[in-house]
Amino acid sequence: MGWIALAVRTLAAGWVALALPAQAGPDFTTEVRPILSQHCFKCHGPDDLARKGGLRLDVRDSAVQPAKSGAVALVPGKPESSELAKRIHSKDPDEVMPPPSTRQTLTEAEKKTLEAWIAAGAEYIPHWAFQRPKSVPPPDTGNSPWPRNPIDQFVLHQLGRRGLSPSEAADPHTLARRVSLDLTGLPPTPAEIAEFLNDPSDAAYERWVDQLLASPRYGERWARRWMDLARYADTNGYEKDRTRSIWPWRDWVIRALNADMPFDQFTLEQLAGDLLPNPTRDQLIATGFHR
């Protein structure tokens, strides 16, 4: 799947999730997991060597089983019987969680969120990327003329739930600048603006988007996101800040984006390009072997 299609599906998945009926209790993904991740997983997470008391809170099957002490951290539906709820409210410095030494004090709002989550059943929700997509019909948005496609219906539905309304449609000049800056990081030239203003139709807009996606500047713009995650730099920093010759990998990322390389291939070649049968020079560059 191309990157643009992947992005559209990702955004659509997010809007679909927002459109689902509200669950009883706090949302695990947006409200509960951030608290556990920030305050609990360091000592009660996936690291076997760092785990304390035999308690693992990042996996539900473990969290509802007795720890080494015999206490059960999570008793679904019963915060009063859950050791986690007791510990977060404890005034004893030897019992309270997180321990004072971590300087990770829970706020009262965070404590209430955890209690409400346990009371609602302490359900864990896997990351959306690991869940099979489900078809969800677009919500009814009445007779509003604003939606132009099913995704718009999800957006309008959520705006309405929050007491918001859509912004006014951008004028053609603003729209041309916005999409150019978004896709290439550069403003359109006066000649490009003039050409677009001569025909601000939907078909012309689609041609303008296709033109920007075909520009080499597209890959340069969006490669920055990936390179930031990979901590790319042309020097190694620190006190001497010596030059590093890893620019071939930078150029490979840009070429991959401009060629709309499927994401699975993009990932595979960076992780194991040198292990592929008869790897090409580009595949070796992708995995770091460029000398």
Side-chain angles (χ1 to χ4, degrees), residues 24-49:
D27 179 75
F28 178 77
T29 302
T30 61
E31 298 178 79
V32 177
R33 185 178 177 85
I35 298 174
L36 297 177
S37 178
Q38 173 68 27
H39 299 285
C40 306
F41 287 173
K42 182 177 180 180
C43 297
H44 301 293
D47 189 339
D48 294 338
L49 299 178

PDB file of all heavy atoms in Angstrom, residues 24-49:
ATOM      1  N   ALA A  24     -18.326   2.522  28.974  1.00  0.00           N
ATOM      2  CA  ALA A  24     -18.478   2.831  30.385  1.00  0.00           C
ATOM      3  C   ALA A  24     -17.093   2.968  30.996  1.00  0.00           C
ATOM      4  O   ALA A  24     -16.230   2.130  30.781  1.00  0.00           O
ATOM      5  CB  ALA A  24     -19.274   1.719  31.070  1.00  0.00           C
ATOM      6  N   GLY A  25     -16.895   4.024  31.762  1.00  0.00           N
ATOM      7  CA  GLY A  25     -15.597   4.225  32.373  1.00  0.00           C
ATOM      8  C   GLY A  25     -14.635   4.928  31.438  1.00  0.00           C
ATOM      9  O   GLY A  25     -14.935   5.180  30.269  1.00  0.00           O
ATOM     10  N   PRO A  26     -13.448   5.275  31.941  1.00  0.00           N
ATOM     11  CA  PRO A  26     -12.451   5.992  31.137  1.00  0.00           C
ATOM     12  C   PRO A  26     -11.967   5.164  29.946  1.00  0.00           C
ATOM     13  O   PRO A  26     -11.958   3.932  30.000  1.00  0.00           O
ATOM     14  CB  PRO A  26     -11.309   6.243  32.133  1.00  0.00           C
ATOM     15  CG  PRO A  26     -11.904   6.029  33.484  1.00  0.00           C
ATOM     16  CD  PRO A  26     -13.000   5.038  33.313  1.00  0.00           C
ATOM     17  N   ASP A  27     -11.573   5.846  28.909  1.00  0.00           N
ATOM     18  CA  ASP A  27     -11.019   5.181  27.732  1.00  0.00           C
ATOM     19  C   ASP A  27      -9.608   4.699  28.038  1.00  0.00           C
ATOM     20  O   ASP A  27      -8.761   5.481  28.476  1.00  0.00           O
ATOM     21  CB  ASP A  27     -11.009   6.136  26.540  1.00  0.00           C
ATOM     22  CG  ASP A  27     -10.424   5.491  25.301  1.00  0.00           C
ATOM     23  OD1 ASP A  27     -11.119   4.659  24.693  1.00  0.00           O
ATOM     24  OD2 ASP A  27      -9.263   5.798  24.954  1.00  0.00           O
ATOM     25  N   PHE A  28      -9.356   3.422  27.810  1.00  0.00           N
ATOM     26  CA  PHE A  28      -8.048   2.857  28.161  1.00  0.00           C
ATOM     27  C   PHE A  28      -6.926   3.492  27.350  1.00  0.00           C
ATOM     28  O   PHE A  28      -5.872   3.851  27.882  1.00  0.00           O
ATOM     29  CB  PHE A  28      -8.041   1.342  27.945  1.00  0.00           C
ATOM     30  CG  PHE A  28      -6.718   0.703  28.243  1.00  0.00           C
ATOM     31  CD1 PHE A  28      -6.321   0.474  29.551  1.00  0.00           C
ATOM     32  CD2 PHE A  28      -5.844   0.362  27.219  1.00  0.00           C
ATOM     33  CE1 PHE A  28      -5.082  -0.100  29.839  1.00  0.00           C
ATOM     34  CE2 PHE A  28      -4.608  -0.205  27.486  1.00  0.00           C
ATOM     35  CZ  PHE A  28      -4.224  -0.435  28.799  1.00  0.00           C
ATOM     36  N   THR A  29      -7.150   3.644  26.057  1.00  0.00           N
ATOM     37  CA  THR A  29      -6.090   4.121  25.176  1.00  0.00           C
ATOM     38  C   THR A  29      -5.682   5.553  25.466  1.00  0.00           C
ATOM     39  O   THR A  29      -4.490   5.863  25.527  1.00  0.00           O
ATOM     40  CB  THR A  29      -6.527   3.995  23.708  1.00  0.00           C
ATOM     41  OG1 THR A  29      -6.839   2.623  23.424  1.00  0.00           O
ATOM     42  CG2 THR A  29      -5.414   4.468  22.774  1.00  0.00           C
ATOM     43  N   THR A  30      -6.651   6.430  25.660  1.00  0.00           N
ATOM     44  CA  THR A  30      -6.345   7.855  25.789  1.00  0.00           C
ATOM     45  C   THR A  30      -6.232   8.346  27.222  1.00  0.00           C
ATOM     46  O   THR A  30      -5.628   9.386  27.472  1.00  0.00           O
ATOM     47  CB  THR A  30      -7.411   8.693  25.067  1.00  0.00           C
ATOM     48  OG1 THR A  30      -8.700   8.443  25.671  1.00  0.00           O
ATOM     49  CG2 THR A  30      -7.470   8.348  23.589  1.00  0.00           C
ATOM     50  N   GLU A  31      -6.845   7.618  28.170  1.00  0.00           N
ATOM     51  CA  GLU A  31      -6.845   8.103  29.546  1.00  0.00           C
ATOM     52  C   GLU A  31      -6.076   7.223  30.521  1.00  0.00           C
ATOM     53  O   GLU A  31      -5.347   7.729  31.368  1.00  0.00           O
ATOM     54  CB  GLU A  31      -8.298   8.231  30.033  1.00  0.00           C
ATOM     55  CG  GLU A  31      -9.138   9.223  29.242  1.00  0.00           C
ATOM     56  CD  GLU A  31     -10.565   9.273  29.735  1.00  0.00           C
ATOM     57  OE1 GLU A  31     -10.814   9.929  30.760  1.00  0.00           O
ATOM     58  OE2 GLU A  31     -11.436   8.635  29.105  1.00  0.00           O
ATOM     59  N   VAL A  32      -6.229   5.898  30.405  1.00  0.00           N
ATOM     60  CA  VAL A  32      -5.648   4.998  31.399  1.00  0.00           C
ATOM     61  C   VAL A  32      -4.220   4.597  31.055  1.00  0.00           C
ATOM     62  O   VAL A  32      -3.310   4.722  31.892  1.00  0.00           O
ATOM     63  CB  VAL A  32      -6.525   3.734  31.562  1.00  0.00           C
ATOM     64  CG1 VAL A  32      -5.876   2.765  32.553  1.00  0.00           C
ATOM     65  CG2 VAL A  32      -7.915   4.118  32.024  1.00  0.00           C
ATOM     66  N   ARG A  33      -4.017   4.130  29.846  1.00  0.00           N
ATOM     67  CA  ARG A  33      -2.679   3.655  29.492  1.00  0.00           C
ATOM     68  C   ARG A  33      -1.601   4.738  29.663  1.00  0.00           C
ATOM     69  O   ARG A  33      -0.492   4.437  30.131  1.00  0.00           O
ATOM     70  CB  ARG A  33      -2.653   3.111  28.068  1.00  0.00           C
ATOM     71  CG  ARG A  33      -1.306   2.484  27.705  1.00  0.00           C
ATOM     72  CD  ARG A  33      -1.296   1.895  26.298  1.00  0.00           C
ATOM     73  NE  ARG A  33       0.024   1.369  25.978  1.00  0.00           N
ATOM     74  CZ  ARG A  33       0.445   0.158  26.310  1.00  0.00           C
ATOM     75  NH1 ARG A  33      -0.345  -0.661  26.971  1.00  0.00           N
ATOM     76  NH2 ARG A  33       1.655  -0.252  25.997  1.00  0.00           N
ATOM     77  N   PRO A  34      -1.858   6.012  29.294  1.00  0.00           N
ATOM     78  CA  PRO A  34      -0.825   7.033  29.543  1.00  0.00           C
ATOM     79  C   PRO A  34      -0.423   7.141  31.012  1.00  0.00           C
ATOM     80  O   PRO A  34       0.748   7.382  31.322  1.00  0.00           O
ATOM     81  CB  PRO A  34      -1.487   8.319  29.032  1.00  0.00           C
ATOM     82  CG  PRO A  34      -2.458   7.861  27.995  1.00  0.00           C
ATOM     83  CD  PRO A  34      -2.990   6.557  28.522  1.00  0.00           C
ATOM     84  N   ILE A  35      -1.370   6.953  31.923  1.00  0.00           N
ATOM     85  CA  ILE A  35      -1.048   7.011  33.355  1.00  0.00           C
ATOM     86  C   ILE A  35      -0.177   5.815  33.741  1.00  0.00           C
ATOM     87  O   ILE A  35       0.854   5.971  34.414  1.00  0.00           O
ATOM     88  CB  ILE A  35      -2.334   7.019  34.209  1.00  0.00           C
ATOM     89  CG1 ILE A  35      -3.175   8.253  33.891  1.00  0.00           C
ATOM     90  CG2 ILE A  35      -1.986   6.981  35.698  1.00  0.00           C
ATOM     91  CD1 ILE A  35      -4.530   8.263  34.590  1.00  0.00           C
ATOM     92  N   LEU A  36      -0.573   4.626  33.318  1.00  0.00           N
ATOM     93  CA  LEU A  36       0.201   3.432  33.631  1.00  0.00           C
ATOM     94  C   LEU A  36       1.596   3.506  33.022  1.00  0.00           C
ATOM     95  O   LEU A  36       2.588   3.136  33.654  1.00  0.00           O
ATOM     96  CB  LEU A  36      -0.532   2.184  33.122  1.00  0.00           C
ATOM     97  CG  LEU A  36      -1.903   1.885  33.732  1.00  0.00           C
ATOM     98  CD1 LEU A  36      -2.517   0.656  33.067  1.00  0.00           C
ATOM     99  CD2 LEU A  36      -1.789   1.669  35.232  1.00  0.00           C
ATOM    100  N   SER A  37       1.661   3.987  31.796  1.00  0.00           N
ATOM    101  CA  SER A  37       2.955   4.078  31.114  1.00  0.00           C
ATOM    102  C   SER A  37       3.886   5.054  31.812  1.00  0.00           C
ATOM    103  O   SER A  37       5.086   4.802  31.975  1.00  0.00           O
ATOM    104  CB  SER A  37       2.738   4.497  29.659  1.00  0.00           C
ATOM    105  OG  SER A  37       3.959   4.631  28.979  1.00  0.00           O
ATOM    106  N   GLN A  38       3.344   6.186  32.236  1.00  0.00           N
ATOM    107  CA  GLN A  38       4.155   7.221  32.861  1.00  0.00           C
ATOM    108  C   GLN A  38       4.597   6.830  34.262  1.00  0.00           C
ATOM    109  O   GLN A  38       5.730   7.082  34.664  1.00  0.00           O
ATOM    110  CB  GLN A  38       3.356   8.524  32.913  1.00  0.00           C
ATOM    111  CG  GLN A  38       4.029   9.655  33.692  1.00  0.00           C
ATOM    112  CD  GLN A  38       5.280  10.185  33.013  1.00  0.00           C
ATOM    113  OE1 GLN A  38       5.395  10.095  31.792  1.00  0.00           O
ATOM    114  NE2 GLN A  38       6.206  10.719  33.781  1.00  0.00           N
ATOM    115  N   HIS A  39       3.707   6.197  35.024  1.00  0.00           N
ATOM    116  CA  HIS A  39       3.961   6.007  36.449  1.00  0.00           C
ATOM    117  C   HIS A  39       4.236   4.569  36.876  1.00  0.00           C
ATOM    118  O   HIS A  39       4.757   4.367  37.976  1.00  0.00           O
ATOM    119  CB  HIS A  39       2.761   6.519  37.251  1.00  0.00           C
ATOM    120  CG  HIS A  39       2.472   7.979  37.067  1.00  0.00           C
ATOM    121  ND1 HIS A  39       3.230   8.970  37.647  1.00  0.00           N
ATOM    122  CD2 HIS A  39       1.515   8.620  36.348  1.00  0.00           C
ATOM    123  CE1 HIS A  39       2.753  10.151  37.316  1.00  0.00           C
ATOM    124  NE2 HIS A  39       1.713   9.974  36.519  1.00  0.00           N
ATOM    125  N   CYS A  40       3.874   3.588  36.058  1.00  0.00           N
ATOM    126  CA  CYS A  40       3.900   2.202  36.541  1.00  0.00           C
ATOM    127  C   CYS A  40       4.798   1.250  35.753  1.00  0.00           C
ATOM    128  O   CYS A  40       5.384   0.330  36.334  1.00  0.00           O
ATOM    129  CB  CYS A  40       2.479   1.631  36.543  1.00  0.00           C
ATOM    130  SG  CYS A  40       1.275   2.629  37.445  1.00  0.00           S
ATOM    131  N   PHE A  41       4.880   1.428  34.445  1.00  0.00           N
ATOM    132  CA  PHE A  41       5.522   0.416  33.617  1.00  0.00           C
ATOM    133  C   PHE A  41       7.024   0.274  33.857  1.00  0.00           C
ATOM    134  O   PHE A  41       7.604  -0.766  33.564  1.00  0.00           O
ATOM    135  CB  PHE A  41       5.276   0.694  32.134  1.00  0.00           C
ATOM    136  CG  PHE A  41       3.866   0.399  31.686  1.00  0.00           C
ATOM    137  CD1 PHE A  41       3.443   0.730  30.407  1.00  0.00           C
ATOM    138  CD2 PHE A  41       2.964  -0.197  32.547  1.00  0.00           C
ATOM    139  CE1 PHE A  41       2.145   0.461  29.999  1.00  0.00           C
ATOM    140  CE2 PHE A  41       1.659  -0.471  32.149  1.00  0.00           C
ATOM    141  CZ  PHE A  41       1.251  -0.140  30.872  1.00  0.00           C
ATOM    142  N   LYS A  42       7.664   1.307  34.383  1.00  0.00           N
ATOM    143  CA  LYS A  42       9.104   1.209  34.619  1.00  0.00           C
ATOM    144  C   LYS A  42       9.423   0.064  35.572  1.00  0.00           C
ATOM    145  O   LYS A  42      10.400  -0.658  35.392  1.00  0.00           O
ATOM    146  CB  LYS A  42       9.648   2.528  35.181  1.00  0.00           C
ATOM    147  CG  LYS A  42      11.151   2.503  35.393  1.00  0.00           C
ATOM    148  CD  LYS A  42      11.669   3.861  35.877  1.00  0.00           C
ATOM    149  CE  LYS A  42      13.186   3.810  36.079  1.00  0.00           C
ATOM    150  NZ  LYS A  42      13.708   5.121  36.553  1.00  0.00           N
ATOM    151  N   CYS A  43       8.587  -0.104  36.602  1.00  0.00           N
ATOM    152  CA  CYS A  43       8.807  -1.172  37.598  1.00  0.00           C
ATOM    153  C   CYS A  43       7.849  -2.344  37.424  1.00  0.00           C
ATOM    154  O   CYS A  43       8.091  -3.423  37.981  1.00  0.00           O
ATOM    155  CB  CYS A  43       8.655  -0.619  39.012  1.00  0.00           C
ATOM    156  SG  CYS A  43       9.859   0.648  39.454  1.00  0.00           S
ATOM    157  N   HIS A  44       6.764  -2.146  36.686  1.00  0.00           N
ATOM    158  CA  HIS A  44       5.759  -3.203  36.538  1.00  0.00           C
ATOM    159  C   HIS A  44       5.359  -3.347  35.074  1.00  0.00           C
ATOM    160  O   HIS A  44       4.164  -3.459  34.755  1.00  0.00           O
ATOM    161  CB  HIS A  44       4.530  -2.887  37.400  1.00  0.00           C
ATOM    162  CG  HIS A  44       4.838  -2.741  38.853  1.00  0.00           C
ATOM    163  ND1 HIS A  44       5.267  -3.790  39.643  1.00  0.00           N
ATOM    164  CD2 HIS A  44       4.814  -1.652  39.667  1.00  0.00           C
ATOM    165  CE1 HIS A  44       5.472  -3.364  40.877  1.00  0.00           C
ATOM    166  NE2 HIS A  44       5.212  -2.069  40.916  1.00  0.00           N
ATOM    167  N   GLY A  45       6.363  -3.333  34.205  1.00  0.00           N
ATOM    168  CA  GLY A  45       6.102  -3.431  32.775  1.00  0.00           C
ATOM    169  C   GLY A  45       6.767  -4.640  32.144  1.00  0.00           C
ATOM    170  O   GLY A  45       6.987  -5.658  32.811  1.00  0.00           O
ATOM    171  N   PRO A  46       7.124  -4.537  30.864  1.00  0.00           N
ATOM    172  CA  PRO A  46       7.626  -5.698  30.125  1.00  0.00           C
ATOM    173  C   PRO A  46       9.069  -6.093  30.439  1.00  0.00           C
ATOM    174  O   PRO A  46       9.486  -7.185  30.063  1.00  0.00           O
ATOM    175  CB  PRO A  46       7.500  -5.248  28.662  1.00  0.00           C
ATOM    176  CG  PRO A  46       7.579  -3.757  28.724  1.00  0.00           C
ATOM    177  CD  PRO A  46       6.913  -3.365  30.006  1.00  0.00           C
ATOM    178  N   ASP A  47       9.836  -5.242  31.110  1.00  0.00           N
ATOM    179  CA  ASP A  47      11.239  -5.543  31.390  1.00  0.00           C
ATOM    180  C   ASP A  47      11.346  -6.527  32.555  1.00  0.00           C
ATOM    181  O   ASP A  47      11.121  -6.177  33.714  1.00  0.00           O
ATOM    182  CB  ASP A  47      11.991  -4.248  31.716  1.00  0.00           C
ATOM    183  CG  ASP A  47      13.491  -4.457  31.795  1.00  0.00           C
ATOM    184  OD1 ASP A  47      13.940  -5.609  31.994  1.00  0.00           O
ATOM    185  OD2 ASP A  47      14.236  -3.468  31.674  1.00  0.00           O
ATOM    186  N   ASP A  48      11.714  -7.769  32.247  1.00  0.00           N
ATOM    187  CA  ASP A  48      11.812  -8.800  33.283  1.00  0.00           C
ATOM    188  C   ASP A  48      12.821  -8.445  34.359  1.00  0.00           C
ATOM    189  O   ASP A  48      12.627  -8.774  35.537  1.00  0.00           O
ATOM    190  CB  ASP A  48      12.207 -10.148  32.662  1.00  0.00           C
ATOM    191  CG  ASP A  48      11.128 -10.697  31.744  1.00  0.00           C
ATOM    192  OD1 ASP A  48       9.964 -10.290  31.900  1.00  0.00           O
ATOM    193  OD2 ASP A  48      11.448 -11.536  30.879  1.00  0.00           O
ATOM    194  N   LEU A  49      13.906  -7.781  33.973  1.00  0.00           N
ATOM    195  CA  LEU A  49      14.977  -7.487  34.924  1.00  0.00           C
ATOM    196  C   LEU A  49      14.606  -6.338  35.857  1.00  0.00           C
ATOM    197  O   LEU A  49      15.082  -6.277  36.993  1.00  0.00           O
ATOM    198  CB  LEU A  49      16.267  -7.162  34.177  1.00  0.00           C
ATOM    199  CG  LEU A  49      16.833  -8.282  33.286  1.00  0.00           C
ATOM    200  CD1 LEU A  49      18.086  -7.804  32.565  1.00  0.00           C
ATOM    201  CD2 LEU A  49      17.134  -9.524  34.122  1.00  0.00           C
TER     202      LEU A  49
END
